[in-house]
Each structure stands twice: as C-alpha cells, then as structure tokens.
Amino acid sequence: MAGTPLEKIRNIGITAHIDAGKTTTTERILYYTGMSHRIGEVHEGNTTTDYMEQERERGITITSAAVTCSWKNYQINIIDTPGHIDFNIEVNRSLRVLDGAIFIIEGVAGVQPQSETNWRLADRYNVPRIVFINKLDRTGADFFRAVDSLKEKLGIVPLSLQLPIGIEDKFVGVVDLVEMKAIVWEGGELGAKYHDEPIPAELEEQAREYRQNLLDTALSVDDAAMEEYFENGDVSVETLKRCIKAGTISGAFRPVLCGTAFKNKGVQPLLDAVLDYLPSPVDVPGIKVAAEEGEDEHADRRIIKADPNAPFAGLAFKIINDKYGTLTFVRVYAGTLKSGDTVLNTTKGHRERIGRMFQMHADKRQEIKEVSAGDIAAFVGLKDTGTGDTLASPEDPVILERMAFPVPVIDISVEPKTKESIEKMSIGLQKLAGEDPSLRLRTDQETGQTILSGMGELHLEIIIDRLKREYNVEANIGAPQVAYRETITRPYTETYTHKKQTGGAGQFAEVKIVFEPLERNQGVQFENAVVGGAVPREYIPAVEKGIKTQSETGVLAGFPTVDFKATLVDGKYHDVDSSALAFEIASKAAFRDGMKKASPIILEPVMDVEVTTPQDHVGDVVGDLNRRRGMIQSQESTGSTVIVRAHVPLKEMFGYISDLRSMTKGRASFTMQFHHYDPLPRNLADEIMAKSA
Amino acid sequence: MDSPRLHWMRGRQEEGPGVPRTLEWIGCDDAGEAIARVVRIRGPVSTGWRQYWAVALDEEARVVELRPTPPEGAGWLAYIGGQVVGRAALPLQAVRTAEAALGAD
Ligand SMILES: Nc1nc2c(ncn2[C@@H]2O[C@H](COP(=O)(O)OP(=O)(O)O)[C@@H](O)[C@H]2O)c(=O)[nH]1
C-alpha cells in the first residue's frame, strides 16, 4: 500500500497480559482486514477447511515483526511487541517505533499484574492507548468491574465508548455511545454479519448516563467543543471524535471498547477506533535525534518530523532470518526511499544499498518500490545493519538511537548434546548473535567451553530454545552465572622468554610488556612501542593476538580481563627459531605471569534497578534493596505508585522477581539494566576464587 | 439531557506556551448578567517561597488559595455569586452543579 497518505497510516502495537487474547485478537484483525478485499470469495461460500488453511498461514505470519493490513482505505501496520521485561531493550525499541497501541485486558480478571508492568512501560514512551476488554462471552465476565480495575490498578481515567449488550453467553453486541446506536452480531462464527439497530429500551437510561460521562470527560480537553455543547446541548459526532482523539493522544483519558475476539464480536468497531482515535505519524511529535556521547538523555534535541520530502531517516528495529534470507524491519521517520537508493548506516558509518523492499501481509509478502515517512518496510539483503542502527540520507546523516552496548551480564556454558552437532551449534549461535546485539559468545581458554552471555536468564533460555527450533541443535547448559570481569590496579612490567629445543627446529621468542590499568569501559588496548626492530614487525600481530586471546580468561577466576593496556616495549628474536606462534605463546605467558603481579581484582556488574510499587509497599521494597547491597538513588511518586531507583549488584538480584512478587502480592514490577562495574568485596571475591580453583 | 439554563462562555485563559486553556467558564442569564462561574483548580503552585496545594481565581481573577485543600480528583469549583456551591472533577459536571444549585434556591 505504498502511496497511502500519511494521515491514513497507523503504526500500532497490541499488548496484553498472557492469555488475555492478543493472538486471537490479532488473528481476527488480520482476518477481517483481509476479508474486506475478498468479500466476493466469502459469498461464494468458502468451506471451513479453507478457513483453517488461512488460519494456519496467519498463525505463522503474525509472528512477523510487523504485519501490514488495510481497513477502510487506511493502512495499519501492526508491530509485534515482545512482552517480557528481560527484553527491556527490544521492548523499548518496539515501543518507540509505534505511534499507538491496543491494550487488551480480560473481561473476567480485569487488570492483572503483568498488564500493570506493560502499561507502565508504555507510559514511559507516552504511547497513546485504547483498551479492549476481551472475553465478555466467558462465564463471570463483567465489563464494569473490568473498567473499575483500570481505574484502581492503573490509576487512569477510563472512558467507556461502548456498553455491552448482554453478557457471558448472552453477549450479542455493543452500544456505541459516540453515535448512540446498537451494533449487533448475527452469530458467533468467523465472519459473522452485524448490523446497526436502535439502543435496546432496557439499556437506554444507562446509555444516556454513560454518554453524559463521555461528553463530560471528552469535551474537557477542547474549549471550542465545550462552546458547541453550551450552544446546542450536544455536539456532533465529528466534534466528539476529535475530542476523544485529542485526549487519547495526550493521555488525558483512555478509551475503552469491548467484545469477544474468540466469538468474533467487537473486532470491527475496535478497528474503527484505531482509525478514529489513535494517532497517525503526523499526529505525534516526531522522533528525537540521539543524545551525543555524554550528553544528558533528557536535554532538548532536534526532532525529526514525518515529512516525506525531507532527507531520509529510518530506524532498523528488528532483524529476522527466515527462509528467504535476512529481513531488516525499518521504521521510516522522514523522507522517501526507493529500491536501488544508497543510504548511510550512520550508526556504523558505512553505506548500504537498498535492494528489494517488502511489506508483510497476513497471507503474502508484497514487494514495494518505495517507502515514505511514517511507514514500515522490511529490507532484504542489507550488508551490515543491526537492530537499533539508523539508516539516513548522506545529506543529513542523523543518528536516531545511540548504539547502546547492552552489557551481557549473565553467562551460561553451552555444549551440544551430541558431538556431531558441534559445528551446527557454532554456526547457529553465531547467526543468533548477529541478530541480537546483546548476545556475546566466547570460548573459555582453559576449559574449552563455549560461554554465552546475555542480558538475563530468560533471554538466554530463549536463545537456547531458538537454537533447538531453528537450527535443530539440542544443547546442555550450565547454571546461569554472573558475568564477572577481572582487571588490574597497578602497572607491572613483565619479561617472558619462550624457548624450546625439541629435536629439529626450536622455538624462541622474548617479549617485554608493560601492563597498566585503565579507566572503566576501556576494554583491552594494545600498543607496540618497540624501536629498532627488537621484535620484527611481522610478529607484532601475534603478540597482540596472544594478549587478547589470553585476556578472555583472567588469572584470578577465569573471567575476561578488561580495562587494561598492554604495551610491548622490547623483546628478542632468533633468525631461525622465532615464529608468530612462538611470539603468541610468549605473550600469553607474559600475560598470565604479569597480571598476577599487577594486583588483579574481580569486578562485578552493578545494575540500575527501577521498581514500580504501590505506595503501601515502598518500605518493604526499599528495606529489601538495602539488604541486597543496593544503593537507593531516588524515589519518585506518581499518584498511588512510587518508582524506586537503586544501584544493586547483579549477584544479589537472582530470584528477585519472585521475592518482589511475594513481598507485594504481585503488584510491583521492576526493570533493570547494566549500569557499571564495581570491585567485588574481598570476602565474595575469595569465595569465587576458591570455587574456580 | 437537561438543557443548560445559563449561557456559558469562556472566561480567563491560562497564559504560557501551547494552546491556551480556559481557566474559568462564566454562566450568564438571558440578560447577559454573569451569575455563576466554574473555575479550574490549579496546583500545586510554587511562588518561590511557599507552595500552595490548590489555588483558583476569585471573581476579580485574583489567585486565591483554597483551604482546606480540595479532595483528590476535584478539578473544578462551581461558584454562584462569591459562594462556592460545589466541586467536580470535570468542567461540564461543575456546570451542572452550579445550575442545580441555582435551581435549588
Ligand atoms: N471465551 C473466550 N476465549 C478467548 C477469547 N479470546 C481468546 N480466548 C482464548 O483464550 C486463550 C488465550 O488466547 P490467546 O489469544 O492465545 O492469548 P494471548 O496469550 O494473549 O495471545 C485461548 O484459548 C483463546 O482461545 C474470547 O474472547 N473469549
């Protein structure tokens, strides 16, 4: 649907507590939007099997990162939002690329703890939302109680745009409070017909009461609408919709609709509400360019507006390897891109040629020739563009997201269940690491084990699961461990001579290396300061390689050694017996001996933890964080909830999620990300060294 | 729907950046006489040396402190003459409160 005017594009996500009906609702949306093209076929009498076939197809496609569909000449891009906090970065990124969301809750249980977590995340990005109360056909469903739970648990102003007609197995349709009419479905099957009719007499009074509340709330965001009301005693549908949209975008209130996705009731009006109330790319402020290195995250920065005629700028938000190859999903923020164009990957600093571009539909991939501001497309065959990279026109090489190096703080060892799949496992893991910037792979020099590092336990579990499903490799994994680091605290100069005389050719190399500590986050640096050819140039790379490889396995407990500099200052060689290998061996040994004398220490990852808790549990939460060696940074209260921020060593955060749940009866949630490394307290370091010895 | 018995018009506007927001609605009778007002409660407001939890405009549009602090969720005051006759979360509700109070006299 290239060429859809910007005002008619909606980029939305669908979020829900697990089991609330996200999958079913998405499927129905794809079904009904697909049907609007194919009404003819339906009249020709599709059999149930056909439906099943299509369902299956769809079941596959909706796991895509973004599906495009159309409703009443609008284009809706549905962007998949991963639902778990371990994926902080991924969730955050997908929340950034969408302009609005459907938030599904259940008609029986109402708002559940995990819905609260998702809601707060969406709050942080000011994502406009409409709420869909699903499963009204289930026994025990209660629309009004579910609306109350929105008020109580989320502290928001719910704005009912509908009332249910009947409930549980008698649920047949909804009262539309905007247009004051009833919408009734003629059956519960897929594709059931529906029609408008007058509001049933027994609901008239309730409808009038709720409509008054709708007017009271909605008009309060628009003074001109208030005047229209004072003038006429009511407002036009157009005015009312304008007010609802404005308040939805500002977050003054959250429209609430209802239905049952499973029994096919309420989905079409939900789609209408997406068009009427969620913003188009031009209704939102635009995207801020990334902060410069070291600049305050919250500082005022340039905003890129959705203008198709501006220089191109887009953000790669998801990479998927499927049977067709690598697909890079990009949200376009400005400009227009045609296949064959060349753009700059401003994050990595190289050029990319745009080959074929697609939009993914429920039942097909549609090739498109150009894509413009506000839209989403999947690019095939980009050379080296990862998630979070910005693609931009060379004319205006902006960066939309700073490459956050998400520090992988949890290690697990992985080995294939069968020897034969060693090769397959290594290929699979490398591919997966290529898709996911927060995943690292290394080999322990001493044990030869493959170590996988990621952002959290669940993150790694999912990687192992994908290894099985996508690469057919079953793996045994070790227990999750904190990814400690080692470093040194004072300089030391080590000279090492490697000499071996075994029969024929001997081995000889001598290196003199200065090891010095660096500030945090400087990694491993190597410098060659040899003068006069004491070590011939051709052997220098071998010395560097020896240091870098050996630094992966630290001298205290085998953790990677970081934040030091190794300077090769002198050495000796032998015309016949020296080789690159001999120099590599010598530098490895110099590292092992030298590091021990440079006062090595163990560093532990300290996390920036943010707990969102109801007011009445703040005391417990803070006390518990203190017991976990946490340093409270701030407490901020917003209404009935408090956000506590603290720096806590990762080691102390194992099992936190369940402790927090039981401490707060499931009402608090937390997110955490790596903040910095701190020296591990002496007693704990001793423990770890004893274990690794 | 009860049709309003007063004619309501915009009163003072909030100054500052963005779309100006109406701070009060003035209800006039058929003769154009201002009879009732509904006023947005604002706060907390900081004056540099003191914080006020809630303030509103009085008849001369001076900012006055409200004491005791209105309960949470009260966004608007309904006045008739100089007298507060009720509070409401939303302006249209405050308008109805004012009109109801007029009817009760
Ligand atoms: N009775 C009823 N069941 C539903 C409805 N929507 C979904 N379900 C069922 O609830 C379960 C979870 O639904 P699903 O869409 O997979 O939820 P998700 O985990 O949010 O994606 C499935 O068994 C669905 O068939 C509904 O409207 N009514």
Side-chain angles (χ1 to χ4, degrees):
Chain A
M1 270 160 287
T4 308
L6 266 181
E7 308 75 52
K8 294 200 164 188
I9 293 181
R10 297 289 178 277
N11 294 308
I12 64 162
I14 302 180
T15 74
H17 182 276
I18 184 156
D19 260 4
K22 171 173 159 170
T23 311
T24 313
T25 308
T26 312
E27 279 176 3
R28 297 306 191 260
I29 287 178
L30 294 179
Y31 177 80
Y32 289 114
T33 54
M35 247 201 19
S36 54
H37 293 313
R38 294 190 253 119
I39 285 176
E41 294 167 41
V42 175
H43 283 308
E44 281 148 30
N46 269 359
T47 61
T48 327
T49 23
D50 283 343
Y51 283 145
M52 301 286 289
E53 286 295 336
Q54 290 169 6
E55 285 293 71
R56 226 186 12 251
E57 272 276 293
R58 241 169 249 129
I60 298 160
T61 6
I62 62 172
T63 62
S64 178
V67 197
T68 298
C69 57
S70 87
W71 183 247
K72 301 189 174 168
N73 287 325
Y74 281 64
Q75 175 186 338
I76 304 177
N77 298 317
I78 303 176
I79 296 148
D80 191 32
T81 45
H84 200 279
I85 47 177
D86 254 22
F87 301 113
N88 239 331
I89 296 183
E90 231 183 287
V91 176
N92 290 355
R93 182 169 303 127
S94 59
L95 287 174
R96 265 186 84 169
V97 301
L98 38 95
D99 301 320
I102 299 174
F103 192 82
I104 302 179
I105 65 170
E106 253 219 40
V108 182
V111 174
Q112 287 163 284
Q114 196 209 326
S115 345
E116 250 182 281
T117 315
N118 289 339
W119 187 272
R120 310 263 175 247
L121 262 179
D123 272 349
R124 202 186 294 180
Y125 289 85
N126 297 322
V127 181
R129 272 150 283 176
I130 52 185
V131 178
F132 183 64
I133 302 182
N134 189 31
K135 301 199 186 185
L136 286 191
D137 60 310
R138 274 191 52 195
T139 312
D142 184 336
F143 172 80
F144 301 97
R145 196 179 57 215
V147 172
D148 282 343
S149 78
L150 288 166
K151 232 181 296 186
E152 282 154 20
K153 301 257 177 62
L154 302 177
I156 60 167
V157 180
L159 183 67
S160 302
L161 303 187
Q162 297 176 338
L163 295 174
I165 304 177
I167 196 77
E168 302 179 349
D169 55 349
K170 305 221 167 42
F171 175 73
V172 293
V174 297
V175 171
D176 174 344
L177 295 167
V178 175
E179 302 199 23
M180 285 304 264
K181 65 182 187 192
I183 305 173
V184 173
W185 278 262
E186 289 158 27
E189 74 284 359
L190 203 55
K193 287 199 186 139
Y194 61 107
H195 63 265
D196 294 351
E197 58 183 49
I199 296 171
E202 69 276 14
L203 286 178
E204 262 177 31
E205 198 186 319
Q206 194 184 31
R208 257 202 309 277
E209 180 195 327
Y210 272 80
R211 161 121 176 148
Q212 187 61 56
N213 176 58
L214 171 58
L215 293 175
D216 288 353
T217 309
L219 304 194
S220 72
V221 302
D222 185 331
D223 293 333
M226 293 270 285
E227 280 169 339
E228 185 182 329
Y229 178 81
F230 289 135
E231 193 100 339
N232 308 323
D234 203 345
V235 294
S236 67
V237 167
E238 198 190 0
T239 299
L240 183 51
K241 285 187 173 175
R242 184 185 77 219
C243 293
I244 298 172
K245 182 171 180 179
T248 305
I249 295 175
S250 74
F253 45 75
R254 312 290 182 175
V256 179
L257 294 95
C258 63
T260 156
F262 185 61
K263 295 281 172 63
N264 302 294
K265 295 179 185 131
V267 177
Q268 299 91 338
L270 177 64
L271 282 163
D272 290 340
V274 167
L275 310 189
D276 286 337
Y277 309 128
L278 289 180
S280 79
V282 277
D283 295 323
V284 293
I287 188 170
K288 259 192 196 175
V289 303
E292 295 290 329
E293 213 75 59
E295 194 186 347
D296 179 11
E297 264 298 306
H298 304 285
D300 277 345
R301 294 192 302 274
R302 199 180 131 199
I303 288 176
I304 308 265
K305 288 213 185 295
D307 174 1
N309 300 316
F312 175 81
L315 184 71
F317 64 94
K318 182 87 187 179
I319 305 227
I320 287 186
N321 289 309
D322 71 0
K323 58 176 188 252
Y324 304 107
T326 301
L327 287 174
T328 309
F329 285 83
V330 174
R331 156 92 198 232
V332 179
Y333 285 97
T336 300
L337 196 63
K338 296 188 177 60
S339 55
D341 285 356
T342 298
V343 294
L344 213 53
N345 176 327
T346 48
T347 310
K348 298 218 170 90
H350 62 70
R351 283 170 184 274
E352 285 278 12
R353 217 184 91 87
I354 304 302
R356 303 176 75 187
M357 302 189 286
F358 290 93
Q359 273 174 340
M360 317 303 277
H361 294 257
D363 48 358
K364 61 175 191 293
R365 320 199 309 163
Q366 184 192 13
E367 179 151 8
I368 53 175
K369 289 293 170 210
E370 64 171 53
V371 60
S372 291
D375 209 346
I376 281 170
F379 297 179
V380 180
L382 294 188
K383 260 192 334 234
D384 178 22
T385 291
T387 45
D389 286 3
T390 304
L391 297 175
S393 157
E395 273 170 65
D396 184 12
V398 292
I399 297 184
L400 299 177
E401 186 174 291
R402 210 27 85 179
M403 214 183 350
F405 284 104
V407 179
V409 287
I410 298 272
D411 286 353
I412 50 169
S413 60
V414 204
E415 63 184 25
K417 285 202 171 135
T418 58
K419 280 237 163 56
E420 297 74 63
S421 35
I422 290 183
E423 172 91 17
K424 262 201 315 190
M425 179 179 94
S426 127
I427 292 172
L429 286 178
Q430 293 198 8
K431 277 237 166 93
L432 290 168
E435 283 175 27
D436 181 346
S438 52
L439 196 67
R440 306 270 165 88
L441 266 180
R442 71 187 163 93
T443 307
D444 187 297
Q445 290 294 299
E446 260 143 45
T447 62
Q449 274 179 323
T450 301
I451 309 281
L452 196 58
S453 313
M455 289 184 297
E457 288 175 58
L458 190 87
H459 181 211
L460 292 171
E461 257 169 45
I462 287 187
I463 295 297
I464 298 301
D465 184 55
R466 289 186 59 190
L467 196 58
K468 188 165 128 196
R469 281 188 293 110
E470 294 168 30
Y471 298 91
N472 214 359
V473 181
E474 300 240 18
N476 289 322
I477 56 169
Q481 311 273 353
V482 174
Y484 293 105
R485 295 286 177 264
E486 297 183 15
T487 192
I488 50 174
T489 53
R490 64 183 189 95
Y492 186 81
T493 305
E494 175 75 26
T495 305
Y496 189 90
T497 313
H498 173 68
K499 204 179 338 179
K500 226 172 201 173
Q501 211 62 58
T502 44
Q507 291 182 22
F508 180 86
E510 183 177 300
V511 291
K512 182 175 180 189
I513 298 175
V514 179
F515 296 99
E516 297 163 275
L518 295 175
E519 305 266 289
R520 288 290 90 83
N521 293 325
Q522 300 302 306
V524 177
Q525 295 178 9
F526 176 80
E527 190 188 327
N528 171 30
V530 170
V531 283
V535 177
R537 292 188 68 111
E538 72 240 52
Y539 298 140
I540 305 292
V543 175
E544 178 169 2
K545 181 169 169 224
I547 299 288
K548 294 217 159 136
T549 323
Q550 193 61 42
S551 72
E552 293 278 292
T553 309
V555 294
L556 289 178
F559 296 107
T561 308
V562 295
D563 304 340
F564 74 92
K565 180 174 176 184
T567 310
L568 178 67
V569 289
D570 203 358
K572 289 202 181 89
Y573 74 105
H574 188 281
D575 278 338
V576 180
D577 292 344
S578 284
S579 64
L581 181 65
F583 272 96
E584 190 179 326
I585 293 172
S587 71
K588 281 182 172 177
F591 175 91
R592 281 193 301 265
D593 292 356
M595 281 286 154
K596 285 188 192 134
K597 296 165 202 148
S599 302
I601 55 168
I602 296 181
L603 297 172
E604 66 173 340
V606 175
M607 311 300 283
D608 190 11
V609 177
E610 202 176 289
V611 186
T612 306
T613 169
Q615 190 88 45
D616 25 330
H617 294 294
V618 179
D620 300 336
V621 166
V622 169
D624 177 73
L625 287 172
N626 282 327
R627 273 189 297 282
R628 293 174 194 266
R629 295 194 281 134
M631 308 274 278
I632 305 293
Q633 304 295 312
S634 68
Q635 282 187 42
E636 208 179 290
S637 87
T638 52
S640 59
T641 58
V642 179
I643 298 173
V644 180
R645 281 193 45 224
H647 292 164
V648 191
L650 176 64
K651 179 181 191 301
E652 312 296 336
M653 292 299 288
F654 277 79
Y656 185 61
I657 190 153
S658 54
D659 291 353
L660 183 67
R661 278 206 190 115
S662 59
M663 206 162 30
T664 64
K665 304 193 180 61
R667 293 180 56 214
S669 63
F670 81 104
T671 62
M672 66 174 179
Q673 51 204 1
F674 172 79
H675 193 265
H676 66 276
Y677 282 107
D678 260 354
L680 186 66
R682 194 54 202 251
N683 55 328
L684 295 173
D686 288 346
E687 240 172 66
I688 286 172
M689 276 148 49
K691 239 189 266 170
S692 82
Chain B
M1 212 154 305
D2 307 336
S3 63
R5 279 165 300 175
L6 295 176
H7 305 284
W8 291 90
M9 10 182 252
R10 279 187 226 195
R12 301 255 152 192
Q13 306 263 309
E14 186 168 47
E15 280 152 35
V19 186
R21 301 229 296 161
T22 296
L23 291 176
E24 67 180 345
W25 291 90
I26 298 172
C28 303
D29 62 12
D30 290 336
E33 198 72 36
I35 305 223
R37 299 183 313 127
V38 306
V39 179
R40 187 193 295 271
I41 299 175
R42 288 180 301 162
V45 179
S46 249
T47 57
W49 62 280
R50 235 202 90 186
Q51 207 184 32
Y52 299 91
W53 285 108
V55 297
L57 297 180
D58 75 0
E59 225 150 341
E60 273 97 55
R62 285 179 309 220
V63 176
V64 295
E65 185 183 10
L66 301 177
R67 277 194 182 175
T69 306
E72 221 181 306
W76 294 77
L77 293 177
Y79 281 91
I80 291 174
Q83 207 66 34
V84 175
V85 295
R87 288 187 283 261
L90 296 163
L92 281 185
Q93 292 167 346
V95 162
R96 278 200 300 282
T97 307
E99 287 178 346
L102 266 184
D105 297 341

